[in-house]
Amino acid sequence: LLYNYIHDMVLFDIPFTYIACYILFNTFLIKEKYTQFGISLLVLTILFSAGFVIYEYIQNRNIELSLSNPLTPFDLYFVCWKLKVFFTYTGVSFILFISIKLYKLWYLKEKENQQLVFLNKEAKIEILQARIHPHFLFNSLNTIYSFAFYDQIKSKDMLKKLYTILHYMVHDCTGDYILLENEISAVTDYINLEKERYGERLRINVNQIGSLEGKKIAPLLLQPFVENAFKHGASKMISDPWIDITIHVLHENLHFTISN
């Protein structure tokens, strides 16, 4: 009995399960082609079940069918019984292996999602670091710290300006476009904060022409130019640093000029 079972499993159960789980599944089901998968599985089942019944009938009955020796009720019972055996064992094998494969795919998908979440967090951190220039942040904190000893009112005002700038960079710049007036306002807050650091020795001139109402721009597009003007221009000058900025809005065009 054990020999017959292993023999049938090798000839029918394993090939059927392999074809269904690794060929039809990968070709149709994983690509969400449910109709093609169902039809292919039905055809595969008919072919294998018919082959199994014919093989078992020849092996066990050893009777040559002819007009003088037709199928008997017992033969029909044998066929039905063998079909039941085929669907029972092959069905169990198919369900077992398809369950394992689905679990494996689910596990790999979950692992991939966790990796994507991790990479997304890393990307957000990198974006945040790109938005907030560390030199600007450290310099501003040092200036606020120094003012805290002899002018607490000014240090509180500077801390408020720094909070407004950081809040804008972190929370307000998440979309593809922001209002131009918000970007200009953030640039102005940044300039005012830097002016506190340089004091009277910095000459800065900001000239704005045209209406900002309703205009939109990519977030933080102007901020790096202003930061660089301070970092690579004003901070390198021993005396009388200066920065000139012109913002000209003409219809749908923005002309931004900065020199140091």
Side-chain angles (χ1 to χ4, degrees), residues 18-255:
Y18 182 86
I19 294 173
C21 293
Y22 292 95
I23 297 179
L24 300 184
F25 183 90
N26 292 335
T27 304
F28 300 113
L29 191 60
I30 201 172
K31 299 178 181 178
E32 299 183 355
K33 298 180 180 180
Y34 304 115
T35 303
Q36 293 91 325
F37 176 77
I39 295 174
S40 302
L41 185 62
L42 178 62
V43 172
L44 186 69
T45 303
I46 293 174
L47 292 176
F48 268 82
S49 60
F52 177 76
V53 170
I54 294 172
Y55 175 80
E56 288 293 319
Y57 188 84
I58 294 174
Q59 288 290 105
N60 293 276
R61 301 294 289 161
N62 195 22
I63 295 176
E64 294 183 5
L65 297 178
S66 64
L67 293 177
S68 59
N69 187 24
L71 286 172
T72 64
F74 182 79
D75 294 321
L76 295 176
Y77 172 78
F78 178 84
V79 171
C80 293
W81 178 64
K82 283 300 178 180
L83 282 175
K84 180 181 178 182
V85 171
F86 173 80
F87 282 111
T88 299
Y89 288 104
T90 308
V92 170
S93 301
F94 173 73
I95 293 173
L96 176 63
F97 279 92
I98 203 74
S99 300
I100 294 174
K101 190 165 183 65
L102 287 172
Y103 174 77
K104 182 180 178 181
L105 288 175
W106 173 83
Y107 175 79
L108 293 176
K109 190 68 176 178
E110 284 296 310
K111 194 173 181 180
E112 182 181 351
N113 289 337
Q114 292 176 2
Q115 183 70 13
L116 288 175
V117 170
F118 174 77
L119 292 176
N120 188 38
K121 289 181 179 179
E122 290 291 322
K124 287 182 177 179
I125 293 175
E126 291 178 0
I127 292 173
L128 188 60
Q129 290 174 342
R131 289 178 182 172
I132 305 174
H133 201 289
H135 293 286
F136 151 69
L137 186 59
F138 294 150
N139 290 336
S140 299
L141 291 175
N142 284 330
T143 304
I144 295 172
Y145 177 76
S146 62
F147 271 102
F149 287 100
Y150 60 88
D151 196 338
Q152 294 185 359
I153 296 178
K154 181 171 287 189
S155 66
K156 289 180 180 179
D157 182 61
M158 293 177 65
L159 192 61
K160 184 177 180 181
K161 291 177 181 177
L162 179 61
Y163 169 80
T164 303
I165 295 172
L166 295 179
H167 186 277
Y168 169 76
M169 291 180 174
V170 175
H171 296 287
D172 297 340
C173 297
T174 55
D176 294 332
Y177 293 95
I178 56 172
L179 290 174
L180 177 59
E181 54 187 328
N182 292 342
E183 177 78 0
I184 300 300
S185 177
V187 169
T188 303
D189 289 336
Y190 175 81
I191 292 173
N192 291 333
L193 188 61
E194 289 288 356
K195 286 169 66 175
E196 298 291 345
R197 289 181 53 217
Y198 287 90
E200 297 296 331
R201 68 187 187 93
L202 173 67
R203 180 182 66 80
I204 184 166
N205 179 41
V206 180
N207 185 24
Q208 179 181 318
I209 305 172
S211 175
L212 307 179
E213 185 177 358
K215 301 295 190 301
K216 291 188 176 182
I217 192 175
L220 299 175
L221 190 61
L222 307 181
Q223 188 81 12
F225 293 103
V226 181
E227 289 185 16
N228 285 331
F230 281 96
K231 179 183 176 184
H232 301 292
S235 65
K236 303 297 182 180
M237 299 183 66
I238 298 176
S239 62
D240 300 327
W242 60 272
I243 297 175
D244 289 333
I245 299 175
T246 300
I247 302 169
H248 186 193
V249 180
L250 181 62
H251 304 301
E252 299 301 320
N253 297 317
L254 170 65
H255 300 272

Side-chain angles (χ1 to χ4, degrees), residues 7-23:
H7 190 263
D8 294 342
M9 181 175 65
V10 171
L11 287 179
F12 295 98
D13 291 352
I14 292 178
F16 177 89
T17 303
Y18 182 86
I19 294 173
C21 293
Y22 292 95
I23 297 179

